[in-house]
Amino acid sequence: MIKKVSRIRLGVNIDHVATLRNARGTFYPDPLKMVKVLEKLRVDGITLHLREDRRHIIDKDVIRIIKETNLPVNLEMAATEEMLGIATDLVPNAVCLVPERREERTTEGGLDVISEEEKLKSFLQPLAEKKIRVSLFVSPELKQIEAASRVGATVVELNTGTFCDLLIAEEKEKYLVEFEKLTKAANFGQKLDLEIHGGHGLTYESVKYIAAIPEMTELNIGHFLISEAVFDGIEKTIYKMRQEIDNSQQSVGN
Ligand code: PXP
């Protein structure tokens, strides 16, 4: 039976517009300017990661973007008291909790929800009271997804990073195993009434696989889009990514 699911939402992560700005310590390129361009391109949301070390997005960016866009804003952050204060103060539409280590180049792995279950339960409560949608960024492991549901998350964002790396390395056996894990995790999560998102490392090639997972409702993509925009411009890049997602979704009859 063909399962009808609505079009996968595309959230664009704009962290690396800020990376470019911060490399020179100037005020351009302005992430808010990118948000305004993305509004015209009709993306479905803006994602930004306010890291503890403020290496790209800074507090002022979050404040200005939440105030000045009509697009849903998804704030990625670590589960710290400082970030909880910022989120409950600024009230983005959504928060995605991610693990964070200072020495990492980008988010590595997913949250260990199981070992932080009690802490996360009380962390999520004030966010829910502000009606902020909370997702947990997790590896495609059923036990972590079960724990995400127990702590009260309504969304899990499956970490597609390992799959994307293996695909680029052309490690076929391994990427097929990882893809199977993602497929099973998405199916399992949906059965627990969790909304299923995906993100990390996605490119035109890897998105073809991930958008074909029937339970997928939102993809958050950043580094590749900003990188491609250097050559092709952001309009063409978003258009092409959108097409890859739509084609892949249609090809499996979602
Ligand atoms: N989703 C999450 C939870 C992330 O941490 C990131 C990176 O900040 C992304 C999506 C976007 O990943 P990429 O920049 O590799 O597309």
Side-chain angles (χ1 to χ4, degrees):
M1 194 177 72
I2 294 177
K3 198 174 157 209
K4 276 244 174 279
V5 184
S6 36
R7 194 183 196 218
I8 292 175
R9 293 190 300 273
L10 172 61
V12 179
N13 180 314
I14 57 160
D15 292 349
H16 299 298
V17 177
T19 302
L20 203 54
R21 173 194 61 193
N22 298 359
R24 275 294 174 94
T26 55
F27 53 88
Y28 63 87
D30 181 0
L32 179 60
K33 185 170 174 182
M34 180 58 94
V35 170
K36 291 290 153 191
V37 172
L38 292 168
E39 282 176 3
K40 291 202 183 101
L41 300 179
R42 296 175 174 273
V43 305
D44 303 293
I46 300 295
T47 291
L48 61 180
H49 185 173
L50 185 67
R51 296 186 73 102
E52 185 197 8
D53 62 9
R54 310 300 197 266
R55 70 174 69 157
H56 37 56
I57 293 294
I58 57 173
D59 302 56
K60 211 168 145 189
D61 296 325
V62 187
I63 294 168
R64 289 167 71 225
I65 289 166
I66 290 178
K67 192 165 163 234
E68 296 189 39
T69 185
N70 296 323
L71 287 172
V73 174
N74 173 35
L75 178 65
E76 290 175 4
M77 60 184 219
T80 63
E81 284 307 310
E82 183 200 15
M83 291 299 153
L84 183 60
I86 292 170
T88 51
D89 197 22
L90 300 179
V91 195
N93 302 80
V95 156
C96 178
L97 295 180
V98 299
E100 214 176 276
R101 287 188 306 117
R102 256 182 192 264
E103 61 277 17
E104 70 191 356
R105 255 193 259 171
T106 179
T107 316
E108 289 169 359
L111 276 178
D112 186 354
V113 190
I114 298 167
S115 68
E116 295 199 81
E117 207 164 318
E118 286 316 307
K119 179 189 158 191
L120 286 169
K121 241 182 224 167
S122 50
F123 196 87
L124 261 55
Q125 222 163 5
L127 295 169
E129 278 163 18
K130 294 271 185 180
K131 308 229 174 321
I132 300 170
R133 182 195 76 187
V134 180
S135 76
L136 302 185
F137 184 60
V138 292
S139 300
E141 290 167 22
L142 306 193
K143 283 200 155 85
Q144 295 292 349
I145 293 166
E146 226 165 16
S149 168
R150 282 198 302 271
V151 303
T154 52
V155 183
V156 281
E157 181 165 320
L158 300 177
N159 182 356
T160 54
T162 305
F163 169 75
C164 294
D165 290 346
L166 292 167
L167 189 72
I168 286 174
E170 297 180 19
E171 300 242 31
K172 190 163 183 189
E173 253 175 59
K174 289 185 185 167
Y175 76 64
L176 289 178
V177 169
E178 188 65 17
F179 183 63
E180 179 78 7
K181 277 194 200 170
L182 287 160
T183 311
K184 283 195 173 139
N187 186 264
F188 181 72
Q190 195 187 56
K191 286 193 178 129
L192 296 177
D193 272 339
L194 290 163
E195 192 177 311
I196 309 299
H197 297 179
H200 216 274
L202 289 166
T203 62
Y204 295 142
E205 279 310 303
S206 46
V207 87
K208 290 178 187 162
Y209 291 79
I210 303 301
I213 297 175
E215 294 82 6
M216 210 45 85
T217 59
E218 178 175 312
L219 296 173
N220 288 302
I221 312 180
H223 187 253
F224 179 77
L225 292 175
I226 304 303
S227 306
E228 278 298 292
V230 170
F231 304 110
D232 274 350
I234 193 68
E235 182 171 352
K236 203 166 155 193
T237 304
I238 296 289
Y239 180 78
K240 192 159 176 213
M241 184 57 84
R242 189 63 260 178
Q243 273 201 318
E244 294 294 357
I245 296 171
D246 292 344
N247 290 344
S248 168
Q249 225 186 340
Q250 277 156 19
S251 72
V252 289
N254 289 339

